[in-house]
Amino acid sequence: MKKLQYKISINASANKVYDCMLGISQKATYEQWTSLFNPTCTYEGSWDKGSKMLFLGVDENGEKGGMVSTILENKPNHFVTIQHKGLVQGNTEITEGPEVEKWANGIENYTFEEINGTTTLTVDLDTDEDFIEYMNETYPKALDKLKEICEK
């Protein structure tokens, strides 16, 4: 696993950035910014600390897939930690085996720091080496989309 970090400054309160990023008030805001990873991105579950969360999408063959994760920490408007536990393939959750070992226990942190109405969002994440280029290309575009949503 490699650690990556992305930062963006958003002219909105930490409360608004947190709400839009996680889709708290409207799931559609989460789906809009994550659509840059997959146009069908969504989630099933709860953002509450300790909760199971499925991050899902449909691939080019119409198959449902994604990640099985746990919300390790959620301090609203300040900090969220997600730990990836496995994969979703179709209607099956896979939490053991060689496919999962690349991702198992990977962490994603979102930190929201507001100063004078502007929020710096920092994303720290673990990724498999095979996905570094994809993440470096896609994550900044996704954060630009989040910024656009939050600044409306």
Side-chain angles (χ1 to χ4, degrees):
M1 290 268 210
K2 293 289 183 184
K3 294 192 178 304
L4 302 177
Q5 184 178 83
Y6 306 98
K7 280 189 180 202
I8 192 164
S9 181
I10 300 174
N11 294 316
S13 68
N15 179 55
K16 184 166 186 182
V17 176
Y18 170 88
D19 184 80
C20 290
M21 184 174 200
L22 303 186
I24 302 293
S25 297
Q26 297 179 3
K27 194 182 212 180
T29 59
Y30 170 88
E31 293 169 342
Q32 288 168 16
W33 79 269
T34 59
S35 70
L36 281 104
F37 297 101
N38 177 316
T40 64
C41 268
T42 191
Y43 63 82
E44 292 176 10
S46 167
W47 289 103
D48 294 336
K49 181 178 178 175
S51 295
K52 177 176 157 183
M53 180 71 83
L54 302 179
F55 295 99
L56 302 168
V58 177
D59 69 16
E60 58 277 357
N61 301 319
E63 289 290 318
K64 182 168 80 170
M67 304 292 290
V68 179
S69 305
T70 300
I71 306 304
L72 290 185
E73 187 60 72
N74 186 344
K75 295 181 180 174
N77 313 323
H78 296 287
F79 189 75
V80 176
T81 300
I82 303 163
Q83 183 176 41
H84 301 298
K85 299 286 196 175
L87 302 171
V88 176
Q89 290 181 342
N91 291 319
T92 305
E93 294 179 20
I94 303 166
T95 55
E96 300 180 326
E99 295 172 67
V100 173
E101 287 172 14
K102 288 183 186 181
W103 294 100
N105 300 315
I107 296 286
E108 210 165 314
N109 290 320
Y110 305 145
T111 305
F112 306 84
E113 296 176 283
E114 181 182 346
I115 299 173
N116 299 324
T118 297
T119 300
T120 299
L121 169 62
T122 305
V123 178
D124 293 290
L125 61 90
D126 298 327
T127 193
D128 180 77
E129 281 200 33
D130 296 343
F131 285 89
I132 292 172
E133 187 176 324
Y134 171 77
M135 289 295 192
N136 284 338
E137 184 179 313
T138 308
Y139 227 110
K141 292 176 186 172
L143 292 178
D144 284 343
K145 181 67 175 175
L146 178 63
K147 177 181 173 83
E148 178 187 315
I149 294 163
C150 292
E151 291 181 352
K152 281 184 182 173

